Amino acid sequence: MATRAESEVRVTILFGILQQLMTTRQNKLFANLSISSSQFGLLMHFTHNPKRTWLVSELANVMEMNQPGITKIVTQLVDKDLLLATPDRGDRRKKHLQITEKGLKTCSNTMNSFEPDIQNIYSSFANNELSELEQHLETLMAWLDNHRDDIKGL
């Protein structure tokens, strides 16, 4: 039986392998779409609360990306009419960003196009196993989200 430390290392290695495999799979799925995976990732962030507006600086913070990278993706999404950019009344350099109906529909259509692959990926899991996996991943995601700057050993 593995020690806790050995299990922690193994789980970390497995997540690294899973990340690589899922990224490769994701790139193949996006190859034939009119939206890139980075554009989709940013756009999906807006779907949690479609009425909310965001500034580039806020998006850079929550997405953990630099502002030039976020600005480039935002510009692409605005050009495709998937995001609406409204100038700030007090500071014209700032733009309030909001998802458009076309953006919401694009997210929905993209997720629907992935549904067969998603079902295929999780087909070997029993319902209770999938629910348990979901709960564990939610716990891990919440911890990572709440401890973004709490990195030990560096």
Side-chain angles (χ1 to χ4, degrees), residues 30-92:
F30 276 99
N32 298 320
L33 298 180
S34 63
I35 186 170
S36 72
S37 61
S38 17
Q39 291 169 351
F40 180 71
L42 183 60
L43 200 57
M44 280 298 292
H45 187 77
F46 284 84
T47 65
H48 302 294
N49 185 359
K51 300 290 184 209
R52 178 175 176 183
T53 63
W54 291 84
L55 298 173
V56 167
S57 59
E58 294 171 323
L59 289 170
N61 185 43
V62 298
M63 301 294 291
E64 296 183 332
M65 291 178 65
N66 61 38
Q67 284 196 11
I70 290 288
T71 299
K72 180 180 178 183
I73 297 168
V74 162
T75 300
Q76 294 165 343
L77 293 171
V78 168
D79 289 347
K80 293 180 180 199
D81 297 321
L82 303 176
L83 288 181
L84 176 66
T86 306
D88 185 87
R89 290 182 181 157
D91 185 347
R92 304 291 282 173

Side-chain angles (χ1 to χ4, degrees), residues 100-131:
T100 64
E101 284 300 318
K102 183 178 178 184
L104 288 169
K105 187 174 290 266
T106 298
C107 283
S108 178
N109 291 343
T110 302
M111 285 305 297
N112 288 340
S113 74
F114 293 162
E115 191 63 32
D117 194 60
I118 292 169
Q119 288 176 354
N120 188 35
I121 290 170
Y122 299 106
S123 64
S124 65
F125 286 83
N127 288 347
N128 65 319
E129 292 172 326
L130 192 57
S131 292

